[in-house]
Amino acid sequence: MRAGIGLDSHRLEPGRRLVLGGVEIESEVGLAGHSDADVLTHAVMDALLGAAGLDDIGRHFPDGDPRYRDADSVELLRVVAGLVAEAGFEPVNVDATVACEAPKLDPHREAMRARLADALGLEEGAVNVKFTTGERMGFVGRREGIAALAIASVREA
Ligand code: MG
């Protein structure tokens, strides 16, 4: 059994879509980035890559690469699942926390779990998603951005 962690953050800007865990959420501001800037999915990807000893997301999906412009991060997570399998591992479980002041994410929790679990070939019960706020402190609390932290475990397949 091996574990890995992932941490990511993206800036909130007007005129961008807000996509978290592969779920589009109605919001006046969205996350800025080269891909869809799905901070939760990016943290999960880095956690899995870490658990399998495969470096990080930036090595596999370089920021400036036009192939990843506005990319659907859940599709990139499927690629990561394939890399993990090629390395001889299978995901066991994922747990993640999203730090977001607004909007309220709770109504979207089950949909996020379902999309992430589907991409990883896991039961929904093996993918947990938690939410917290910044208590009006720091970049999360000032609604300048959203951060996500994830841990993943894998076992030899
Ligand atoms: Mg990112």
Side-chain angles (χ1 to χ4, degrees), residues 84-122:
V84 168
E86 273 172 39
F89 299 103
E90 61 186 15
V92 174
N93 80 303
V94 170
D95 184 31
T97 299
V98 180
C100 173
E101 202 72 14
K104 272 248 168 278
L105 301 178
D106 198 61
H108 307 284
R109 187 196 311 266
E110 295 312 314
M112 292 179 194
R113 290 179 73 164
R115 280 224 74 192
L116 294 171
D118 177 66
L120 296 173
L122 289 171

Side-chain angles (χ1 to χ4, degrees), residues 8-10 35 37-39 42-43 57:
D8 196 24
S9 54
H10 281 265
S35 65
D38 182 341
V39 69
H42 292 180
I57 193 173

Side-chain angles (χ1 to χ4, degrees), residues 7-10 32-43 45-46 57 63 73:
L7 171 67
D8 196 24
S9 54
H10 281 265
H34 187 63
S35 65
D36 63 7
D38 182 341
V39 69
L40 169 56
T41 301
H42 292 180
M45 288 165 68
D46 255 350
I57 193 173
D63 232 17
S73 293

Side-chain angles (χ1 to χ4, degrees), residues 11-129:
R11 234 173 324 107
L12 281 167
E13 285 181 0
R16 289 278 303 183
R17 296 189 308 146
L18 178 59
V19 181
L20 291 169
V23 177
E24 184 155 357
I25 294 159
E26 204 165 315
S27 171
E28 280 172 13
V29 290
L31 292 171
H34 187 63
S35 65
D36 63 7
D38 182 341
V39 69
L40 169 56
T41 301
H42 292 180
V44 170
M45 288 165 68
D46 255 350
L48 283 161
L49 290 170
L54 295 172
D55 301 326
D56 62 24
I57 193 173
R59 205 202 104 195
H60 296 280
F61 310 101
D63 232 17
D65 191 323
R67 280 180 298 169
Y68 307 122
R69 197 180 150 78
D70 297 322
D72 177 348
S73 293
V74 171
E75 290 308 315
L76 303 183
L77 177 61
R78 289 183 201 279
V79 175
V80 164
L83 295 170
V84 168
E86 273 172 39
F89 299 103
E90 61 186 15
V92 174
N93 80 303
V94 170
D95 184 31
T97 299
V98 180
C100 173
E101 202 72 14
K104 272 248 168 278
L105 301 178
D106 198 61
H108 307 284
R109 187 196 311 266
E110 295 312 314
M112 292 179 194
R113 290 179 73 164
R115 280 224 74 192
L116 294 171
D118 177 66
L120 296 173
L122 289 171
E123 299 287 320
E124 280 174 43
V127 178
N128 197 69
V129 178

